[in-house]
Amino acid sequence: MNDSRSMMILFTQVFIFAIFAMSYDLLLGFTGIVSFGHAMFFGIGAYAVGIFMKQFEPTLPYFLLAVVITILITAIVSYVVGLLTLRLKSHFYAMLTLAFASLFLVLAEKWRTLTHGNDGFTFRTPELFRDRLDFYLICLVSMIVVFLLLNRFTNSPLGKVLQAIRENEQRTESLGYSVIQYKIIASVVSGVLAGFAGILYSVSLRFVNTSVFTMDITLDALLMTIIGGVGTLIGAIIGAGLIEFAHHWLTELAKVHWIFERWIIFFGIIYILVVMFFPRGIVGTVRNIKMKSKKRVIEKSEQQKAAG
Amino acid sequence: MDVFFNLTLNGLATGMLIFLLAAGLTLIFGLMDVLNFAHGGLFAWGAYSGTWLYATTGSFIIGILGAVVTGLILGLITERVIIKPVYGNHVQQILITLGLMLVLSELLKVVWGPNQLSATAPDFLKGSFELGGIIIIKYRLFIIAVGFLVFVTVQYVLKNTKIGLVVRAGVMNKEMVQALGINIKKVFMLVFMVGSGMAALGGVLLGPYSGVIHAEMGMEFAILAFIVVVIGGMGSFPGSILAAILVGLSGSFMAYYVPDLALAANMLLMAVVLIFRPQGLFGWKG
Amino acid sequence: MSIQLKLEDVETYIGQFHILQGISLEVRKGEVTVLLGRNGAGKTTTLRTIMGLNPSTKGTITFNNEEIQSLPTYSVAQKGIGYVPEDQGIFSELTVEENLKVAMKNESDRTKERLDYILNLFPDLKKFWKKPGGLLSGGQKQMLSIARAYVNDNELLLIDEPSKGLAPIVVEKVMESIIEMKDKTTIVLVEQNFMMASTIGDQFYIIDDGQTVQNGAMEVLKEDDEMRRKYLGIA
Amino acid sequence: SNSEQTESEGNEGTEGTTETEEAPKEPIKIGLLASQTGGLEAYGEQTLRGFELGLEYATDGTMEVAGRKIEYIVEDTETKPEVAVQKATKLLEEDEVDFLVGSSSSGDTLAVLPLAEEYEKIMIVEPAVADSITGSEFNPFIFRTARNSSQDAVAGAAAIAGEGVKIATFAPDYSFGWDGVAAFKEAAEKLGAEIIHEEYAPADATDFTSNIQKIIDAKPDYLFVVWAGANSPWNQIADMKVQEKGIKISTGAPDIAALATMEPLIGMEGFTVYYHDLPQNDMNAWLVEEHKKRFNGDVPDLFTPGGMTAAIAIVEALKKTEGDADADTLIETMEGMSFDTPKGTMTFRPEDHQALQALYAIKLEKKDGVPYPVPVLIRELSPEETAPPIRN
Amino acid sequence: METLFETKDLTIAFGGHIAVDHVTISVSANQFKSIIGPNGAGKTTFFNLLSGQLSPTEGEIFFRGENITKLSSTERTRKGIGRSFQITNVFPNLTVLENVRLAVQSQAGIRYQILSHFKKYKDLEAKALEWLEMVMLEDKQETLAINLAHGEKRKLEIAMLLALNTEVLLLDEPTAGMSLEEVPAILDVIRRIKEKGDRTILLIEHKMDMILDLSDSIMVLFNGRLLADGTPEEIMQNETVQSAYLGGIHS
Ligand SMILES: Nc1ncnc2c1ncn2[C@@H]1O[C@H](COP(=O)(O)OP(=O)(O)OP(=O)(O)O)[C@@H](O)[C@H]1O
Ligand SMILES: Nc1ncnc2c1ncn2[C@@H]1O[C@H](COP(=O)(O)OP(=O)(O)OP(=O)(O)O)[C@@H](O)[C@H]1O
Ligand SMILES: [Mg+2]
Ligand SMILES: [Mg+2]
């Protein structure tokens, strides 16, 4: 029972980061946009909740207000950032998003009356979230809902156009699709969901500090998405799970055997091995293998037909 | 006026130092288009191995050469094992080089322990002198000189050989370059090694600048190097040196005149440059 | 005449697809050998296999009595084989000059001579000397691609559909240039323009479904309406 | 509900009977949070070593108090708040610890504070320094054996401030720096000094010369530096000839690894939390001795006595409650409790549970055979003298 | 005849180089017009201006009397100007069917639909298949576009344009690299479309026999300038066309 409580917290963490990683996958995997600043949306959500709960009352109405504010701000910011894809290509866009996220980091650092700088502050959450089991379930349901929504979204006609943009932007345009609008839509949906993940994150910690705006957070999303397999959504979930659990097990091992004291080395090796053995991420590679064997079966039967 | 000169000189020196840190990345990221997140690990290894060699042998030159050799060797291994399978695939590059970064910086701690180490300049480069109100730090003059030397050398090599062209062509169309009779794998390997060696050189020269080296320095300065390469315009050495000097000067002047924004200096500079020149300062159009 | 290039029962897989299923051909020194066949027959793949870009899994490829099927692409090229790919393979961010410079094996007088010849053949390239290759017109790109293979003294040229996208008068010039260099350079040509193929070709091979199915002297094919109809769909 | 569960489990074997001497008692469990990886891992290591030695010292090697065995479990926070919370929850839920101790970073510690309250367990804060831990974020379950920023500041001020002294400050541009300077300013002004310039620089900056230039322009008598982290400005301060311009430098002496980088500041007067030959008492002598024995000749470092102190505070409190780990009882016991430490007697101030403690005014000197500048005692600053304002 | 679109002094310069130089033409509805000219004459660039890939430095474009000079390529496609590309321009990592389906979807005006699941759009798929059959590519429908042979990509390119079902078709060397066998088949497709009589077609080609066979009129670009515009017979008589474009082969 106790053991499962601890696991429960770990899973809660997985669910939250799975949402965050899925929001990133929408950009990276489906629209082909690389952002190094995804943490800015995460951070906006995390701080919005923290500040509301701290400055006002830790009640549900204020929480909902914080959610609304998060949606508003992340939508506006991601709209502007999405517009910039018009001007900036690949690395240049990625670095600009990094700059923006860093400016949010500086803002959080400097606006100390509200944020307490990088020390951060703790706050109370509404009754609803206090029980860890309840919160675990809320996160689980949120993740499933986000997955279903995004799954529907990416398989919709609109989603197909996003993939077309990823493949060949200019051609998509000449087919009569207004590329920038699609990019903005993807950017906004992704930004808002990342903000939502940020909300859950800071509720789970009941604490927020400037770390939510750092490059590390963006890298987490990036790694989880890539490890799982870009453009698969489910990969983001698996990636989140894999990273959190590998982390958990390796730190546990560190206590068991001195070899693992520098467990971060093994963590790094996992990344390297994933690329070597799962070049398209776990889900991507497995799907690939499946597709190949399916093709082989088809080919065989065709050969038999031809022979017969 | 003295203040102005001091700020300019120090900003310039810092810019040159940043250029030295970014020069290797200009090759690896800018020219070869490899998103090498482990580049910072190479700085740190250069810094540690060089500082350690200097401390044990007492020769600054051996320290520097040792660092460069370390960089070359690490570059060779990295290229063969880590980078070769993932050329042209940014997504895989991010993951695998981040993994390598973790390994490299943790291994540092295994070898040299988790504590920061102090790094000093040799006596003849220590200290500073005053020239009519302007304080001139010897080591900074040295850095400016080395930076300039590296720039001129690399620029000369790129201008007078096909190597830069071949690398750029290889990134655009690897098959075609090979069909023209060029062993692009070997070229990439050599360029990657040189880039890594230059990273290590930047790392070892950084040590005495701030007086300490630590395992986490890698990531910190790698981001700075990425900024420089991007705002300079991918793969352009003149762009990189200009961008680096801009970063140095803006840091120096902002810290003096608008200290409230100093924290955001680099990022603001990058945002402004990219918004007005989306391809970087010396980037090709299109 | 001696045989310069010989493929014996060459098979090639791309991924798990069995693309070449038995290509055999002999290319004689100083001749133009034309590969014909419908779309997707495997002509391009044959050239790529010779270059080592899609390595063969079976069979032998002999160039000047030396087996080259397991050599890496750059070694094949260094043996004196030039290649004009079907998609032109222009380095789009390099200028015309730089594209040619990458291709040049040396900077000898001979190379300069050839360069002059090329610029004379395609004056457009001189005109756009400093222009990034990616901004050239379709035909200009094709010229640049051919030019890149011409700058070196190659013993063998593999040319994949050179006439594609070229104005008739330029096609004519390319044909002339091929005829002109025939004595020094052997040529394997993939060409859909039958007028061109039949004018300059000495030998022909027809590839169908990854196999060489017919071959012979060009003269024969010109006469044989039946064969043309069967494999090329033209009369 | 959780503490109920523990008790009922604890009573299982002796149901229906009152506790007797013979009944085997549950061990006391302590959860230790520290950075074992990442930038602060050296601090974490110091705390852990100190803590281990402290338990041994306080229990005379029996590892028992009031008949209960003491066990401790170490968890790595990786200097990430979310990991700290995960690990703390694991300690509280799974290991059912009676105490938390930690951690190396203020951010991690702040994130864990509410858990102590939620689970009603005592948390000994060591060595996190942020004022807000015993200030705005205080809850009654928190006790801090570490000194806080304000104590540092008071000590720093005591070392240099006086009537009419003009001081400029230099600090990294984030909470630690701002807190430190604010506290210093208050303390220094109380002593009649004037803060004529406050300079902040990005903690990861490469070039500090502009900041130093401004300080030189301000022409203070003293430059007081609040600095932490690896990237230090000492070289550049020396290169800019600050001291030659008649500006004296003062700062808190850091741990030994960082002292090695302060070569250019030899002669500087400042303060320190601890250096192994400063406190003259038996316990410190024991600590230095044992530490050397165990860790191949190394002397205890800046935060080693802190770890030891945290252990001693727990054992002393349990002695007083006769092994009762109930939080309310402990709070009552510990408020105002005085206990001996390697740094002399400390007292948990009842109002904010901050341990009042001695700090040391020192001067950095070169010593033969020591590869780094050594802090030499000028005078010990008494706990009363360094007592910070109460802010919770 | 009704004028469908016209250009007035259409000009574009890249740096100092004027690629299209004051070209004024008008095309009436349901006409088949070919554009010829030497390599680099500005034919593709002229298409780029018509379809909105480039915007002119000078001059205007009218479509059904409306000035469309400022409209984006997306808007022009929606208004009914579709094009194919000289350099094969498809979605490399989508299947052949998906490539065409994207065009069909756009033509059906299904652009921002999120809620209805894509799989419901069976008829879109059916339509896409029809187009693939038309260009004889139906047996490659599951292949990724990147794996097609060159000629097959050309066919896909045409299928995508046809699927857009636009009133104006701009065809840039549609049969370049297509095999001898299949050129007639594609020509057939084009001819059938022409014969239906409800499309206006502009064709860039270097294959003279094909042009002479299909065109109602031919315009000739030379160094960016409009050299001639007339019936095939008139153009074939033109001295400059003979000497500087066709060369000896057709004389
Ligand atoms: N990378 C690949 N993966 C899978 N199949 C491929 C790949 N490349 C080519 N093919 C297939 O191999 C066959 C032969 O292709 P190839 O390019 O050699 O034909 P080709 O004769 O040159 O045709 P074309 O005249 O159209 O250029 C085609 O059916 C093509 O679809
Ligand atoms: N984006 C561009 N930037 C600069 N120059 C360009 C650009 N696009 C085309 N050009 C130049 O404009 C001229 C006309 O090019 P265009 O592609 O229109 O020729 P074309 O008539 O289609 O030739 P081809 O028959 O070879 O396809 C060429 O010289 C080309 O180099
Ligand atoms: Mg082909
Ligand atoms: Mg064209």
Side-chain angles (χ1 to χ4, degrees), chain C residues 137-138, chain E residues 43-44 86 172-173 204:
Chain C
S137 84
Chain E
K43 304 180 293 296
T44 301
Q86 177 175 11
D172 198 348
E173 301 196 34
I204 299 178

Side-chain angles (χ1 to χ4, degrees), chain A residues 5 11 13 15 25 36 66 71 77 83 95 102 131 137 157 163 178 195 197 234 285-286 289 296 306:
Chain A
R5 288 272 283 190
F11 269 110
Q13 210 62 225
F15 300 151
D25 198 18
F36 287 160
I71 292 176
V77 174
L83 263 181
M95 292 304 280
S102 306
D131 185 280
L137 291 173
Q163 287 168 47
S178 170
I234 193 87
T285 303
V286 168
I289 292 168
R296 227 169 266 145

Side-chain angles (χ1 to χ4, degrees), chain A:
Chain A
M1 173 63 202
N2 282 324
D3 201 22
S4 69
R5 288 272 283 190
S6 169
M7 276 290 132
M8 199 165 79
I9 291 168
L10 192 60
F11 269 110
T12 309
Q13 210 62 225
V14 171
F15 300 151
I16 294 170
F17 274 97
I19 294 175
F20 186 47
M22 282 191 281
S23 80
Y24 193 79
D25 198 18
L26 182 63
L27 285 185
L28 178 67
F30 289 92
T31 324
I33 299 173
V34 181
S35 160
F36 287 160
H38 212 48
M40 76 182 122
F41 308 115
F42 191 80
I44 288 170
Y47 267 106
V49 146
I51 289 169
F52 268 79
M53 297 296 97
K54 182 89 171 178
Q55 304 286 329
F56 305 107
E57 297 280 296
T59 57
L60 210 50
Y62 277 114
F63 175 80
L64 294 177
L65 196 57
V67 173
V68 172
I69 294 282
T70 302
I71 292 176
L72 272 177
I73 301 180
T74 50
I76 293 169
V77 174
S78 54
Y79 181 85
V80 173
V81 173
L83 263 181
L84 286 168
T85 56
L86 197 62
R87 254 180 99 65
L88 291 139
K89 299 289 169 252
S90 66
H91 302 315
F92 298 100
Y93 176 78
M95 292 304 280
L96 190 71
T97 56
L98 172 67
F100 279 5
S102 306
L103 294 179
F104 273 99
L105 176 62
V106 172
L107 183 72
E109 193 71 74
K110 289 259 168 179
W111 198 348
R112 301 179 73 237
T113 45
L114 217 52
T115 63
H116 298 255
N118 87 316
D119 279 348
F121 60 91
T122 61
F123 55 87
R124 290 174 181 280
T125 58
E127 202 67 54
L128 177 64
F129 304 127
R130 293 215 184 126
D131 185 280
R132 294 204 184 261
L133 179 64
D134 288 350
F135 188 64
Y136 164 89
L137 291 173
I138 289 171
C139 290
L140 174 61
V141 171
S142 303
M143 180 188 76
I144 294 172
V145 169
V146 168
F147 172 74
L148 292 176
L149 275 177
L150 282 181
N151 196 41
R152 169 52 61 94
F153 184 79
T154 50
N155 279 312
S156 73
L158 190 151
K160 293 289 167 193
V161 179
L162 291 183
Q163 287 168 47
I165 291 172
R166 176 190 70 196
E167 291 297 315
N168 187 341
E169 193 173 322
Q170 174 240 2
R171 182 55 159 157
T172 313
E173 203 146 77
S174 70
L175 282 185
Y177 299 105
S178 170
V179 165
I180 188 69
Q181 288 180 13
Y182 287 91
K183 282 190 166 181
I184 288 173
I185 290 172
S187 179
V188 170
V189 172
S190 167
V192 168
L193 287 176
F196 180 62
I199 290 175
L200 293 177
Y201 176 80
S202 76
V203 170
S204 79
L205 293 188
R206 298 161 203 193
F207 167 80
V208 59
N209 75 352
T210 51
S211 67
V212 291
F213 278 125
T214 54
M215 181 82 179
D216 285 1
I217 294 282
T218 303
L219 288 183
D220 277 342
L222 201 67
L223 290 171
M224 289 168 179
T225 313
I226 299 174
I227 284 188
V230 293
T232 61
L233 287 185
I234 193 87
I237 298 177
I238 289 176
L242 188 91
I243 288 195
E244 293 287 338
F245 273 90
H247 181 210
H248 178 75
W249 284 320
L250 281 172
T251 49
E252 288 297 303
L253 278 176
K255 282 186 239 163
V256 180
H257 199 288
W258 62 267
I259 266 260
F260 292 101
E261 252 165 42
R262 292 269 155 226
W263 58 268
I264 291 181
I265 294 180
F266 294 89
F267 209 50
I269 291 175
I270 291 181
Y271 294 174
I272 295 172
L273 292 181
V274 165
V275 174
M276 304 217 157
F277 294 102
F278 297 91
R280 289 158 167 246
I282 290 168
V283 175
T285 303
V286 168
R287 264 191 204 166
N288 221 28
I289 292 168
K290 265 194 191 157
M291 224 161 72
K292 271 184 192 166
S293 57
K294 211 167 87 188
K295 259 216 180 106
R296 227 169 266 145
V297 171
I298 293 174
E299 259 174 27
K300 251 192 207 144
S301 67
E302 267 174 9
Q303 273 169 8
Q304 275 162 358
K305 249 188 262 166

Side-chain angles (χ1 to χ4, degrees), chain B residues 87-105:
Chain B
Y87 276 119
N89 189 327
H90 286 148
V91 164
Q92 291 177 8
Q93 283 166 7
I94 292 173
L95 184 55
I96 203 165
T97 59
L98 272 172
L100 179 66
M101 179 67 194
L102 293 182
V103 173
L104 282 179
S105 41

Side-chain angles (χ1 to χ4, degrees), chain A residues 173 176-177, chain E residues 51 70-81:
Chain A
E173 203 146 77
Y177 299 105
Chain E
S51 67
K70 295 252 142 41
L71 296 190
S72 69
S73 66
T74 307
E75 288 162 316
R76 294 190 207 187
T77 306
R78 292 188 193 171
K79 283 208 177 300
I81 304 176

